[in-house]
Amino acid sequence: MPHLRRNIGCVFQDYKLLDTKTVYENVAFALEVIGRPKNVIQSQVPQILDLVGLTSKAKNFPNELSGGEQQRVSIARAFVNRPLILLADEPTGNLDPATTVGIMRLLDRINKTGTTVVMATHDQRIVDAMRRRVIELDRGEMVRDQSRGVYGVSA
Amino acid sequence: MSIWRSPKTPTWRVSEFLDHDEAFAEFGRIFQDDPSLLENIRPEDLPVSFRVVPVDPELTQDIADRNEGLAGVDKAVTADEQVQNVLNATRVLRLGIYVLSGALLLASLFLIVNTIRLATFARRREIEVMKLVGAGNWFVRVPFMAEGLVQGAVGAGIAFGGVYLVQVAVFGNALKGHRNDLLEGFYATSSEAILIGILCLVIGAVIGIVGSLLGLRKYLNV
């Protein structure tokens, strides 16, 4: 099971960062735990931090960052292993609209590198803005699967 | 005069030999409050005696019986009742110590399990993230096992060190020169002591590791 988890990146609404580690260390953690050697960590982490736009904050701690920045760290950690799938559970739930847009753009960039992004959300605006494949769940059952969908509340 | 001796291994040793004069002197010491007895006794009236100490107290009666009928031996006397009492007392003591040790071992196991549970609870966020990111179960376990091992080994070390200090204080100073056969069982050679010390450390470490693994069980499912 842990080996399967290594191919899936997870991002949560509450970020789930380690408060006692810096941004750099949080992202590096994902590599350490898998047993990647130091040189790999040292080359990959800065790259990812650059992708999410947090290079200048590498030495900060999570409590020194804004919500959007913390989410970027989570995304960086989830993506650093180049997983096949990125699961995001309400990633923009705690963020204001402007920051939300930034996060969605980042997820789009990640998607363009070939990683499948599966996102669960209640935010109508970003679903409508992205117009991607939408799967609608109602009471645990899949009721709609649309390739360029909008949010829509089915009756 | 011949005395029966076990052919192969010494089952007893002679601790004292009293000839007539020495027996007379001891007689005088025992009955010093009653000088009238001394006046009527001459050294030649008192028998020569061998004081004999068995290697194993259990053999006392056996040795006495074998020596009883030998030529030149008038009587073999044992302090039978006292010997039995001492034997019983040591047996009870030994049993009691076993039971006590077992109980203490269990208590320390429980304590270590509890401590590790507390530590696990305190670090549950980290563990959750570790598992999310794909850490294997053993990767999560190892730091806690190390903590348990240290606790167990240090505890054992302190216990062993404490006993050693007591031994030095009691048998080294207070009872110096009073070493007699009654307390023989409490003494250990240094090689025995080292062996016991290592055994203590090993048992402590094992208890520590087992305790930590038991304490982790509830938390490894994320």
Side-chain angles (χ1 to χ4, degrees):
Chain A
M1 172 75 125
H3 286 274
L4 293 174
R5 283 221 171 103
R6 295 174 190 189
N7 280 324
I8 303 175
C10 290
V11 178
F12 295 91
Q13 188 173 357
D14 61 357
Y15 324 130
K16 290 205 194 306
L17 296 176
L18 298 170
D19 295 320
T20 55
K21 289 185 187 272
T22 64
V23 163
Y24 184 96
E25 287 162 356
N26 261 291
V27 179
F29 193 58
L31 292 169
E32 281 166 12
V33 147
I34 293 185
R36 308 294 248 126
K38 269 221 147 108
N39 55 337
V40 168
I41 295 180
Q42 273 161 7
S43 70
Q44 290 286 15
V45 176
Q47 233 181 66
I48 275 283
L49 288 180
D50 185 47
L51 176 70
V52 304
L54 285 177
T55 315
S56 59
K57 305 264 179 172
K59 293 214 160 57
N60 289 78
F61 288 90
N63 64 355
E64 296 167 356
L65 303 176
S66 70
E69 288 166 337
Q70 287 185 54
Q71 194 60 293
R72 285 170 188 269
V73 179
S74 293
I75 294 175
R77 178 181 66 193
F79 191 57
V80 73
N81 265 318
R82 300 293 189 279
L84 300 170
I85 303 180
L86 193 88
L87 293 180
D89 185 7
E90 299 275 8
T92 61
N94 290 341
L95 307 174
D96 63 71
T99 321
T100 300
V101 170
I103 295 295
M104 291 312 295
R105 288 218 180 102
L106 174 58
L107 289 175
D108 190 29
R109 278 211 300 281
I110 286 176
N111 178 231
K112 287 193 163 58
T113 70
T115 300
T116 307
V117 176
V118 179
M119 188 173 103
T121 186
H122 295 280
D123 192 338
Q124 180 177 345
R125 291 161 302 180
I126 53 181
V127 175
D128 291 351
M130 301 288 286
R131 297 282 171 121
R132 298 297 186 82
R133 180 174 172 190
V134 170
I135 297 174
E136 184 178 330
L137 299 174
D138 185 19
R139 277 179 270 252
E141 298 214 355
M142 188 173 86
V143 296
R144 176 160 64 102
D145 184 355
Q146 200 174 3
S147 46
R148 294 183 68 82
V150 293
Y151 195 85
V153 180
S154 19
Chain B
M1 179 188 313
S2 69
I3 293 184
W4 177 82
R5 239 186 195 18
S6 172
K8 288 269 158 49
T9 54
T11 51
W12 48 267
R13 58 180 179 81
V14 179
S15 71
E16 248 184 308
F17 171 75
L18 292 104
D19 62 17
H20 295 291
D21 294 316
E22 287 165 337
F24 185 71
E26 177 154 337
F27 189 85
R29 236 188 357 260
I30 295 173
F31 293 106
Q32 60 186 310
D33 295 329
D34 200 350
S36 60
L37 279 176
L38 290 170
E39 282 161 24
N40 296 321
I41 294 284
R42 293 163 306 150
E44 298 76 48
D45 297 328
L46 294 169
V48 168
S49 61
F50 285 85
R51 298 262 160 83
V52 156
V53 175
V55 160
D56 182 351
E58 314 252 342
L59 295 173
T60 308
Q61 193 54 49
D62 192 48
I63 293 169
D65 292 338
R66 287 195 210 232
N67 277 300
E68 179 87 27
L70 293 177
V73 175
D74 183 31
K75 227 198 263 194
V77 173
T78 67
D80 193 43
E81 201 182 293
Q82 285 80 355
V83 169
Q84 275 308 314
N85 284 344
V86 170
L87 282 180
N88 284 339
T90 52
R91 193 168 358 112
V92 168
L93 202 67
R94 198 179 307 144
L95 205 67
I97 289 182
Y98 285 156
V99 169
L100 194 67
S101 315
L104 283 174
L105 222 60
L106 261 153
S108 53
L109 182 71
F110 177 71
L111 277 173
I112 291 185
V113 168
N114 220 41
T115 307
I116 296 296
R117 284 224 181 115
L118 276 175
T120 311
F121 186 76
R123 303 184 63 183
R124 64 193 185 288
R125 266 215 126 197
E126 255 188 69
I127 296 175
E128 185 186 0
V129 170
M130 274 198 234
K131 303 233 70 194
L132 241 29
V133 163
N137 274 339
W138 281 107
F139 191 92
V140 179
R141 277 185 186 132
V142 162
F144 292 98
M145 279 170 61
E147 184 173 343
L149 187 148
V150 164
Q151 284 190 11
V154 167
I158 291 178
F160 184 73
V163 170
Y164 180 77
L165 283 176
V166 166
Q167 189 258 345
V168 163
V170 173
F171 294 98
N173 297 328
L175 291 184
K176 214 174 180 78
H178 284 84
R179 177 172 179 160
N180 60 33
D181 306 300
L182 200 66
L183 295 172
E184 194 67 40
F186 285 102
Y187 286 88
T189 66
S190 16
S191 59
E192 282 173 357
I194 291 176
L195 212 65
I196 292 177
I198 292 179
L199 192 67
C200 281
L201 276 176
V202 166
I203 291 182
V206 166
I207 297 261
I209 292 179
V210 167
S212 67
L213 289 176
L214 283 177
L216 277 175
R217 277 174 136 231
K218 296 227 166 106
Y219 292 92
L220 282 183
N221 312 315
V222 170

